[in-house]
Amino acid sequence: MDSLKGLLDDGLTIAGQHPIATLAAIGLSLKIGVDVVQKGRRGRLPPGPPSLPIIGNVLDFPTGLEAPHWAKHHAKYGPISSVNALGQTIIIVNDAKIASELLEKRSAVYSDRPHFVFGGDMCGFDGALTLLQTGENFKTTRKRMHGYIGSRAAVARFAELEEIETHRFLLHVLDKPDDFFQHIRTTAGAIILKISHGYVIKRDGKDAFVDLAHQVLDAFSVSLGSPWAVDILPSLKYLPSWLPGMGFKKLAHEYKKLSDALVKRPQAFIKHEMATGEARESFALTELRKGVKDAGDEHSLMWAASSLYGGGADTTVSAVSTFFLGVLLHPRVQKRAQEEIDSVIGNDRLPLLSDRPNLPYLEAVTKESLRWNSVVPMGVAHVSSKDDTYNGYFLPKGSIVMPNVWHMCHDPTVYHDPFEFKPERFLGTEGRAPEPDPSDLAFGFGRRICPGKDLADPSLFLSVAMTLAVFNINKAKDASGTEIEPLYEYTPGLISHPKEFKCSITPRSEKAVALIRSVEIEHPFEPSDSDKLANLSWE
Ligand code: HEM
């Protein structure tokens, strides 16, 4: 693992740009030595590779894709294994049943998160729900989100917003097909910012909040993607900045400005909108109207709203991109899906969410897009808050538990031909029973399960159904007319994306073009809120 090696080599600053998802999200809150010393006394840890004194298994960590690396433990050590990094026990779970036993059935024990000195305390990301440790703030934040987006009934009121924004996505693709990755991101941003803060993004040129969120996600990934020396020796943060090796303090200062902006700029926006009577319905507005106890409570609430944006901005984007790659590489899937649309919906209108029960093959394509590549391949690390035992193994308090969702979704004993994009697997054909719904794994587990699940799932379905209703997706051709073979490669890190690939996206017919363009008349773009931000003071 590059950055931990870097840590050992050069001490104080580890510009760990390499987002090691294994530690990522996860991030290690390292405690030197303790578990290694105590393991013998307290019981047998799950099996794993032999470890070196002090550094443990640091040298066994992957430098590339994390999930396939940890999946090898399944064959070598069984479905639950363990490693340690500088004394921190890390449990790797390569089996869906065990993940459910520990992270769901025993979620009272396995729902905490690691503590990050650099990314959390110093850079200010400790307010993000993904990093919140269990306690009152965590409970209140989850409860607030649950009330607003935590069930199918609650999110039903966003169906129209998701349908309109996905229709607008088609328009963007029609006008600039080569920029489809960008359009996927814009669409996710438009939906989530409207829901979280009632904010309308700018379509022509850069939007201030979308841009800010990208900068923040980068900073988040650098500050949490790999451990920093100060995570191991927290007292380093008290040394004066002028000492050599204190560069991390300057970086933390810059990132703190970004994390502040992520929370305070939208807060200033919504306060302004409330004062002028223009505030749109949103999560932040609804919760502010219910009343906050004090400034601290308001700050937590604004973090909750920004966590929605942070959690929703990149994840759905990955799943929709995987769908494009899946059908590009499997033309027969595209053909069969289009036949279903043509026979059930016809070509006078676009499929809507209400059509979902009548479109079983498209439903299966949606599931397969979540399974074929896992958006969050190693899940987000859970931390245990008590000593525990499982199947004769001792799992010490403070263990980091990493569910290898990617492996569970490619387990050949559960999913036949797991590397094929085969939606039929969910329909129970060829004499087989339908295979399990991957959303039970893809959105995480127990008390930490993704709070945006019920928003993301219909969004993905609409992207699948509306895109295939009006477009053909084919391999792009180079200047000599030869087809360009798309890459089937994914990025490492907490959130895994297909590496950008080219494809040719063309409307299926003139009628399809008219259908796409109808959104310009039926739902013309609203004026953006972006320009209002320039005059708002927030610092
Ligand atoms: C395809 C889309 C998505 C996938 C695959 C996904 C997956 C996940 C996963 C695996 C986790 C970690 C769960 C755990 O720790 O066990 C998570 C957490 C989270 N997700 Fe999502 N997510 C998606 C979309 C969204 C959306 C649209 C939102 C916002 C509306 C969102 C907001 C969050 C937040 C705030 C957390 C942190 C929860 C906590 O730590 O308690 N996600 N997501």
Side-chain angles (χ1 to χ4, degrees):
M1 190 182 67
D2 291 351
S3 345
L4 266 179
K5 280 187 210 150
L7 166 74
L8 298 170
D9 295 343
D10 77 18
L12 299 184
T13 52
I14 313 147
Q17 298 280 346
H18 177 30
I20 311 160
T22 36
L23 301 181
I26 73 169
L28 279 177
S29 127
L30 302 160
K31 348 183 229 98
I32 299 192
V34 181
D35 289 330
V36 186
V37 176
Q38 293 186 350
K39 143 174 124 179
R41 265 194 281 137
R42 294 185 297 184
R44 194 165 55 108
L45 291 167
S51 66
L52 294 168
I54 308 290
I55 64 168
N57 299 106
V58 159
L59 304 179
D60 295 323
F61 279 68
T63 49
L65 287 175
E66 300 81 7
H69 172 90
W70 296 119
K72 290 185 201 140
H73 275 217
H74 190 270
K76 275 193 187 157
Y77 308 111
I80 178 164
S81 55
S82 72
V83 288
N84 88 70
L86 297 147
Q88 168 68 57
T89 302
I90 301 171
I91 310 286
I92 296 135
V93 176
N94 271 306
D95 178 89
K97 192 170 149 274
I98 300 177
S100 162
E101 294 273 340
L102 296 180
L103 305 180
E104 278 168 356
K105 295 196 183 130
R106 301 185 195 178
S107 70
V109 177
Y110 290 94
S111 294
D112 218 340
R113 296 284 198 221
H115 173 219
F116 302 86
V117 177
F118 184 70
D121 305 348
M122 295 181 73
C123 301
F125 291 118
D126 48 354
L129 175 58
T130 320
L131 299 196
L132 277 190
Q133 296 194 286
T134 48
E136 272 318 300
N137 191 9
F138 168 70
K139 270 196 214 149
T140 312
T141 304
R142 293 282 320 195
K143 202 167 154 204
R144 281 177 164 146
M145 286 188 186
H146 185 77
Y148 203 70
I149 54 165
S151 65
R152 289 198 175 191
V155 298
R157 65 189 185 287
F158 303 119
E160 195 186 4
L161 168 69
E162 295 192 312
E163 285 166 355
I164 294 171
E165 287 303 339
T166 313
H167 196 165
R168 287 173 174 165
F169 164 73
L170 304 179
L171 182 66
H172 293 314
V173 175
L174 181 69
D175 289 339
K176 287 192 180 163
D178 290 344
D179 295 344
F180 73 98
F181 277 109
Q182 179 55 39
H183 305 323
I184 298 173
R185 278 182 221 117
T186 304
T187 306
I191 294 173
I192 195 65
L193 275 165
K194 194 77 168 288
I195 292 174
S196 60
H197 296 92
Y199 174 87
V200 174
I201 68 160
K202 188 171 173 172
R203 314 270 168 169
D204 46 346
K206 275 191 174 178
D207 177 85
F209 277 177
V210 173
D211 203 36
L212 172 65
H214 278 139
Q215 289 181 50
V216 170
L217 283 173
D218 282 349
F220 193 81
S221 161
V222 172
S223 61
L224 298 156
S226 46
W228 291 69
V230 68
D231 286 316
I232 298 161
L233 292 173
S235 50
L236 288 177
K237 73 178 169 189
Y238 300 115
L239 294 179
S241 306
W242 49 262
L243 278 180
M246 289 295 119
F248 70 96
K249 291 185 88 166
K250 189 163 168 258
L251 190 65
H253 186 66
E254 280 170 31
Y255 284 179
K256 179 77 172 71
K257 282 199 229 153
L258 281 176
S259 65
D260 274 353
L262 183 76
V263 175
K264 292 183 183 164
R265 285 192 81 183
Q267 183 173 19
F269 165 74
I270 201 155
K271 287 289 174 82
H272 170 266
E273 297 294 273
M274 286 170 85
T276 55
E278 289 173 3
R280 289 184 199 87
E281 173 57 34
S282 70
F283 169 76
L285 181 72
T286 307
E287 291 300 318
L288 279 171
R289 283 203 175 130
K290 284 185 193 161
V292 285
K293 288 198 285 270
D294 49 31
D297 191 27
E298 183 169 319
H299 185 66
S300 307
L301 162 58
M302 296 316 297
W303 253 120
S306 294
S307 300
L308 286 184
Y309 182 64
D314 218 22
T315 41
T316 321
V317 170
S318 162
V320 175
S321 312
T322 289
F323 150 70
F324 271 83
L325 185 58
V327 290
L328 178 61
L329 289 170
H330 299 83
R332 61 162 193 92
V333 172
Q334 180 167 187
K335 189 164 169 285
R336 183 161 168 194
Q338 287 175 334
E339 281 165 8
E340 183 176 82
I341 297 170
D342 295 348
S343 75
V344 176
I345 310 288
N347 44 25
D348 292 330
R349 68 175 181 90
L350 289 170
L352 298 173
L353 281 172
S354 51
D355 297 310
R356 201 167 173 176
N358 304 320
L359 297 167
Y361 192 74
L362 287 178
E363 180 72 47
V365 177
T366 308
K367 286 183 183 158
E368 187 66 338
S369 304
L370 272 180
R371 187 204 65 83
W372 192 50
N373 179 58
S374 302
V375 174
V376 192
M378 290 302 298
V380 177
H382 290 223
V383 168
S384 63
S385 51
K386 263 205 215 158
D387 284 349
D388 194 17
T389 51
Y390 180 78
N391 239 359
Y393 296 126
F394 177 62
L395 311 179
K397 173 180 171 179
S399 296
I400 287 177
V401 181
M402 300 199 309
N404 191 343
V405 171
W406 176 85
H407 176 71
M408 297 172 206
C409 286
H410 292 82
D411 181 343
T413 63
V414 180
Y415 297 105
H416 77 280
D417 297 341
F419 292 94
E420 289 293 305
F421 191 85
K422 257 190 162 179
E424 301 77 1
R425 65 177 76 253
F426 301 110
L427 302 175
T429 49
E430 300 167 15
R432 293 188 173 91
E435 295 176 4
D437 184 346
S439 27
D440 293 339
L441 304 169
F443 291 102
F445 305 92
R447 294 183 191 179
R448 286 288 182 172
I449 194 167
C450 173
K453 177 178 189 285
D454 291 315
L455 266 185
D457 174 65
S459 225
L460 179 58
F461 172 82
L462 283 170
S463 300
V464 168
M466 285 194 181
T467 301
L468 291 177
V470 293
F471 289 120
N472 289 319
I473 303 167
N474 290 307
K475 289 182 184 163
K477 291 186 177 157
D478 64 18
S480 66
T482 311
E483 281 187 344
I484 303 172
E485 214 39 57
L487 289 175
Y488 173 31
E489 282 180 26
Y490 280 82
T491 58
L494 171 63
I495 300 176
S496 172
H497 289 262
K499 289 194 179 161
E500 292 213 359
F501 54 89
K502 287 190 186 310
C503 63
S504 150
I505 308 175
T506 48
R508 290 180 67 197
S509 64
E510 276 311 309
K511 214 167 175 182
V513 173
L515 204 49
I516 298 169
R517 294 226 171 272
S518 67
V519 74
E520 291 173 306
I521 313 285
E522 288 162 19
H523 303 287
F525 291 121
E526 307 133 280
S528 147
D529 290 319
S530 189
D531 296 338
K532 293 181 187 167
L533 302 179
N535 302 322
L536 291 182
S537 97
W538 57 274
E539 282 174 287

